[in-house]
Amino acid sequence: TTTVEEVRQAALLSSQKAKGVSESSQKLVNISKTGQKSVEETTVEMNRIRVQMESIAKTIISLSEQSQNIGGIIASVTDIADQSNLLAVNAAIEAARAGEQGKAFAVVAQEIRSLAEQSKQATVEVRRILNDVQKATNTAVMVTEQGSKAVESGVKQAIQAGEAIKALADASSEAVQAAMQIVASSSQQVVGMDQIGKAMQNINQAGSENSASMKQAESAAKNLNEMGQKLKQLVSQHKI
């Protein structure tokens, strides 16, 4: 009976500990689900950022191409300005040869030459600005590429983290199920030990009752023995 009670207490303690493990594992499952949801949201957001980065990169590349086209136009304008300047010089020479009749033409040639020079200076300034824009564009392209790679790496890491958290959640779920099975088994053991304990008490009671019955039987046997002795004496007397 004492051993059965000790086993019952051990099974009860095991059941309580298994219940605590089950509750802790369930909390871990809930935390893992929350973390997995956060990782999924982060992955979606990073994918959205990646799409935006790709769009920005395409826009910058298009800007770079347009800048190159503008550079070609500036080169053409510079050539036209040089040709205009050369024509203006030739016109001034011809006007000088014409004398009085070419003075008006000389003034026009001078104005054309002045405009050509201004156009050339303007194209030089525009080219300088365009070079700065081109440099900034190239830098932006490099930064965008690095950002895209960083986002891509972040997406991969987020996916790996999500898979790890999912594996942890699955393992925690298995732990919860195992702990619940242990709780159920321990509870059955406790019930079985209670039944065994009651059976042992019944056996003890039956043993006690049997012991009392044996004592009564022993007393009755003594009485029968005494009666037999008396009867034997009476028989002996009767024979005499």
Side-chain angles (χ1 to χ4, degrees), residues 81 87 92 95 118 153 156 158 190 218:
L87 290 174
Q118 292 177 5
S153 177
K156 291 181 180 179
V190 171
E218 183 181 2

Side-chain angles (χ1 to χ4, degrees), residues 7 34 42 53 56 58 81 84 105 107 142 144 156 178 208 214:
V7 174
T34 303
T42 301
M53 293 290 289
I56 293 172
K58 290 180 180 179
S84 298
F105 190 71
V107 174
M142 293 177 61
T144 304
K156 291 181 180 179
S208 298
M214 291 297 291

Side-chain angles (χ1 to χ4, degrees), residues 23-210:
E23 292 175 352
S24 299
S25 299
Q26 187 61 47
K27 291 180 180 179
L28 182 58
V29 169
N30 295 333
I31 294 172
S32 298
K33 289 181 178 179
T34 303
Q36 186 176 2
K37 183 178 179 181
S38 299
V39 170
E40 290 175 353
E41 292 176 352
T42 301
T43 303
V44 172
E45 185 65 20
M46 293 190 74
N47 283 325
R48 186 181 65 83
I49 294 173
R50 180 176 60 181
V51 172
Q52 291 180 348
M53 293 290 289
E54 290 176 353
S55 177
I56 293 172
K58 290 180 180 179
T59 303
I60 293 175
I61 291 173
S62 177
L63 178 61
S64 178
E65 292 175 352
Q66 292 177 1
S67 298
Q68 292 177 358
N69 293 331
I70 294 173
I73 295 172
I74 290 174
S76 298
V77 173
T78 301
D79 292 338
I80 293 172
D82 291 336
Q83 293 177 5
S84 298
N85 190 16
L86 181 60
L87 290 174
V89 171
N90 293 331
I93 293 172
E94 293 297 328
R97 289 179 180 177
E100 292 295 331
Q101 295 178 354
K103 287 183 178 181
F105 190 71
V107 174
V108 174
Q110 182 63 33
E111 291 295 328
I112 293 174
R113 184 178 181 183
S114 178
L115 292 173
E117 188 65 27
Q118 292 177 5
S119 298
K120 188 174 182 178
Q121 292 177 358
T123 55
V124 171
E125 182 66 19
V126 172
R127 185 179 293 278
R128 185 186 64 80
I129 296 173
L130 189 61
N131 288 333
D132 293 339
V133 172
Q134 189 68 34
K135 291 179 181 179
T137 302
N138 293 334
T139 302
V141 170
M142 293 177 61
V143 172
T144 304
E145 290 179 353
Q146 293 176 355
S148 298
K149 291 180 180 179
V151 171
E152 185 70 23
S153 177
V155 170
K156 291 181 180 179
Q157 291 178 357
I159 292 175
Q160 291 176 354
E163 292 176 351
I165 291 177
K166 184 178 183 300
L168 178 61
D170 293 340
S172 299
S173 298
E174 293 178 357
V176 170
Q177 293 178 0
M180 291 177 66
Q181 291 177 356
I182 294 174
V183 170
S185 177
S186 300
S187 298
Q188 291 177 356
Q189 290 179 2
V190 171
V191 173
M193 290 299 105
D194 288 338
Q195 293 176 352
I196 293 174
K198 290 180 181 179
M200 293 298 295
Q201 289 176 0
N202 292 331
I203 291 172
N204 287 335
Q205 185 177 358
S208 298
E209 293 175 355
N210 189 29

